[in-house]
Amino acid sequence: MNREQMMEMVQQQMPAKRWTHTLGVMSSAVQLAKQYGADVEKAELAALLHDYCKYWPIDRQSQVLIEHGVEGDLLQNDKQLWHGPAAACVISKEFAIEDDEVLDAIRFHTSGRVNMTLLDKIVCLADYIEPGRDFPEVDKIRKKAENSLEKALIAGFDSTLLFLISKRLKVYPLTLLARNALIEEISKI
């Protein structure tokens, strides 16, 4: 499957506004990959596919996760987290992508994880800072991204956590662990 076919398949899975977001994430991921020395093609591919399942019905996402043995605490937490892991499960089959680094960047773009790879960080951060994003802390996060992926991601996770707490919503433990791991990582630099 060539790039254009892949882009067409992804675009068909989402409304126009989300497609615009996806294009913004792709652009941001490429820019971050160039800036921080990551594989540009992998960053663009993971960014293209990161929201592939976002608009699938929740029961379909759940079914995919259960069929692939991704259960546990993920299914007990916010359904907004499910589309990344669901996409990582189906993309390998539908797009014949077997690159674990790309699949993991897609899988963890919603939550982060402990010991994030460079590609994980880039895709997660690109999702936060793409040009169409407009939330109170986004400019601060973009500014931090100019000098540090880790500091920008911590600011992004902080923004997410504060939002969830202000709305009295559950916090996915992996996101908190990812944040703490990044704090530990930059303390060693």
Side-chain angles (χ1 to χ4, degrees):
M1 175 179 309
N2 67 37
R3 185 177 187 272
E4 288 74 30
Q5 291 170 319
M6 194 177 294
M7 289 182 74
E8 187 176 315
M9 280 183 67
V10 173
Q11 186 176 8
Q12 291 172 0
Q13 298 296 316
M14 57 190 62
K17 185 175 181 181
R18 182 53 54 164
W19 176 242
T20 300
H21 162 76
T22 297
L23 295 173
V25 175
M26 289 170 65
S27 172
S28 295
V30 166
Q31 178 183 346
L32 290 169
K34 288 177 180 176
Q35 181 179 350
Y36 289 102
D39 185 309
V40 173
E41 288 182 21
K42 287 184 180 186
E44 184 178 48
L45 179 61
L48 169 63
L49 299 170
H50 83 285
D51 277 350
Y52 186 71
C53 296
K54 177 118 176 132
Y55 290 92
W56 286 16
I58 290 301
D59 59 337
R60 185 174 178 196
Q61 291 182 42
S62 175
Q63 181 182 1
V64 166
L65 294 172
I66 291 167
E67 286 174 1
H68 287 85
V70 182
E71 298 179 53
D73 66 341
L74 178 64
L75 292 178
Q76 305 306 313
N77 279 279
D78 191 350
K79 294 168 180 60
Q80 292 294 321
L81 297 168
W82 296 2
H83 70 277
C89 292
V90 300
I91 282 167
S92 59
K93 189 178 238 179
E94 291 190 22
F95 293 94
I97 294 172
E98 297 177 3
D99 187 319
D100 287 336
E101 190 178 12
V102 169
L103 295 173
D104 281 345
I106 294 164
R107 180 176 289 111
F108 295 108
H109 87 270
T110 58
S111 63
R113 65 173 169 162
V114 175
N115 299 321
M116 292 177 78
T117 67
L118 180 59
L119 189 60
D120 291 346
K121 292 173 185 177
I122 285 169
V123 175
C124 186
L125 184 57
D127 192 31
Y128 270 113
I129 67 169
E130 63 93 359
R133 289 288 197 197
D134 183 24
F135 57 92
E137 298 294 315
V138 72
D139 288 332
K140 183 191 294 186
I141 298 167
R142 287 180 181 129
K143 186 73 176 159
K144 288 180 183 289
E146 294 173 9
N147 300 305
S148 171
L149 285 172
E150 294 77 17
K151 289 178 182 177
L153 274 172
I154 291 167
F157 288 145
D158 286 352
S159 175
T160 296
L161 294 169
L162 290 170
F163 172 80
L164 293 171
I165 291 166
S166 75
K167 299 292 183 188
R168 300 185 56 84
L169 297 171
K170 290 171 67 174
V171 172
Y172 186 43
L174 188 56
T175 302
L176 188 55
L177 292 172
R179 177 193 177 274
N180 290 347
L182 288 166
I183 289 172
E184 187 69 25
E185 186 178 332
I186 63 172
S187 74
K188 294 177 182 176
I189 296 174

